[in-house]
Amino acid sequence: MINEMLNTMENQDENMVGGKVIRTYHYKAEMSRTDINVLYNLMLLRISKGYLSEETSFLMGTSSNAVGNFEKLARKRVTMRMLMDILAALEKKSLNGFILFGSGRKSGDFTCHMVRTKRTKIIEHALYLMDDTGTERLVFKLFELNPSYTPFSQSDAHELKAIREILDVELNDNWLSPKTPLEIYQHCCMLTDQDIMPRQVIKVLEEMTSRRSYPKLFRNKANEGRKVIYEKVSS
């Protein structure tokens, strides 16, 4: 009887906080107040759009871990070009609305600690800053759905079918020059009433680049100073 009560309490607690903890990750780096501000605003924008970090990187035309590395504090500086690319991918046209955090220090870097807790249903991102006494204080905490969690059977077959039809027509008739991932995604969104996500466009593009028949697509990988582009291959 006692064990049953304890199990019930544990299950209730897991449901309240987003499910059982699967794994916790820790990342640390020295960051300026501006870096913290940019990190918070970009993560908030990404999560509010429902995009994964990999999807945002895809829309930017960069390597799939570009945004993820920034969120893991592995890349603590973001160039203005990268910042504007992220804003374009997230459909934000300016820096208006970015929030600066208050601080007792006028300048210099802070020791920051990002704790990412992956639960069954959600992923929690908590950034802590170490003050002059060595005490960590919470700067922000953000939550997003765990993409692996599916509370009910959900198929994206209709969305994938719509994307395939759009891109097949485009490939056969109108793919005259290389296209960026963002251009492709926006084109698909414009031509369908389906609520599509970048991850679905990524899946279809992977199919089209791995075809054995022609015409097909070739993914030109990003390198320093260049973005990913998709080119038509006829033979």
Side-chain angles (χ1 to χ4, degrees):
M1 183 65 178
I2 294 177
N3 288 336
E4 291 178 0
M5 291 176 62
L6 290 173
N7 288 334
T8 300
M9 292 173 64
E10 182 179 353
N11 290 333
Q12 289 176 344
D13 182 59
E14 287 183 357
N15 289 332
M16 289 178 61
V17 297
K20 183 179 179 181
V21 174
I22 299 173
R23 190 169 180 181
T24 301
Y25 304 85
H26 297 269
Y27 311 101
K28 291 186 178 182
E30 297 292 317
M31 301 179 70
S32 70
R33 182 168 47 177
T34 300
D35 299 328
I36 296 170
N37 168 48
V38 171
L39 176 65
Y40 169 76
N41 283 279
L42 293 184
M43 290 186 69
L44 184 62
L45 278 172
R46 176 184 68 75
I47 292 171
S48 67
K49 294 287 290 186
Y51 295 168
L52 305 176
S53 62
E54 294 85 356
E55 290 179 286
T56 308
S57 297
F58 162 75
L59 293 175
M60 292 170 58
T62 60
S63 59
S64 60
N65 60 358
V67 174
N69 282 343
F70 181 53
E71 295 184 1
K72 294 175 183 176
L73 311 188
R75 177 172 184 160
K76 58 182 181 178
R77 294 286 188 276
V78 174
T79 64
M80 182 56 66
R81 178 177 177 178
M82 182 179 178
L83 177 58
M84 299 312 295
D85 285 343
I86 296 175
L87 293 179
L90 297 173
E91 299 178 314
K92 185 172 176 61
K93 297 180 180 180
S94 72
L95 294 172
N96 292 339
F98 269 38
I99 302 169
L100 286 173
F101 293 103
S103 170
R105 301 184 187 182
K106 294 182 179 180
S107 62
D109 288 351
F110 304 84
T111 300
C112 295
H113 179 199
M114 174 68 81
V115 181
R116 176 175 296 172
T117 305
K118 185 176 182 180
R119 298 180 181 272
T120 308
K121 301 178 184 179
I122 66 169
I123 299 175
E124 173 188 309
H125 308 270
L127 185 75
Y128 296 89
L129 182 149
M130 185 176 294
D131 62 22
D132 295 328
T133 66
T135 303
E136 287 191 345
R137 61 179 180 85
L138 181 66
V139 179
F140 66 77
K141 184 179 289 188
L142 297 172
F143 301 87
E144 66 179 313
L145 290 175
N146 185 340
S148 302
Y149 175 66
T150 51
F152 51 87
S153 179
Q154 183 176 350
S155 172
D156 56 2
H158 294 295
E159 290 83 358
L160 292 173
K161 181 175 182 293
I163 296 168
R164 290 189 187 102
E165 291 175 351
I166 291 170
L167 294 185
D168 274 334
V169 170
E170 191 74 9
L171 182 62
N172 287 305
D173 299 332
N174 302 314
W175 211 293
L176 303 178
S177 59
K179 300 182 185 296
T180 67
L182 184 59
E183 290 172 336
I184 296 169
Y185 176 66
Q186 291 176 338
H187 183 72
C188 291
C189 290
M190 183 176 63
L191 294 183
T192 181
D193 57 359
Q194 301 284 345
D195 188 15
I196 63 175
M197 295 294 288
R199 69 200 73 167
Q200 295 160 340
V201 175
I202 292 172
K203 184 173 183 178
V204 174
L205 287 174
E206 287 174 347
E207 295 172 358
M208 297 179 75
T209 55
S210 61
R211 286 178 179 174
R212 295 187 176 182
S213 60
Y214 296 94
K216 61 186 291 185
L217 287 178
F218 173 72
R219 180 180 182 272
N220 197 334
K221 296 181 180 180
N223 55 28
E224 192 65 33
R226 290 182 55 188
K227 295 183 179 181
V228 168
I229 54 174
Y230 287 85
E231 301 176 88
K232 178 178 178 177
V233 180
S234 299
S235 60

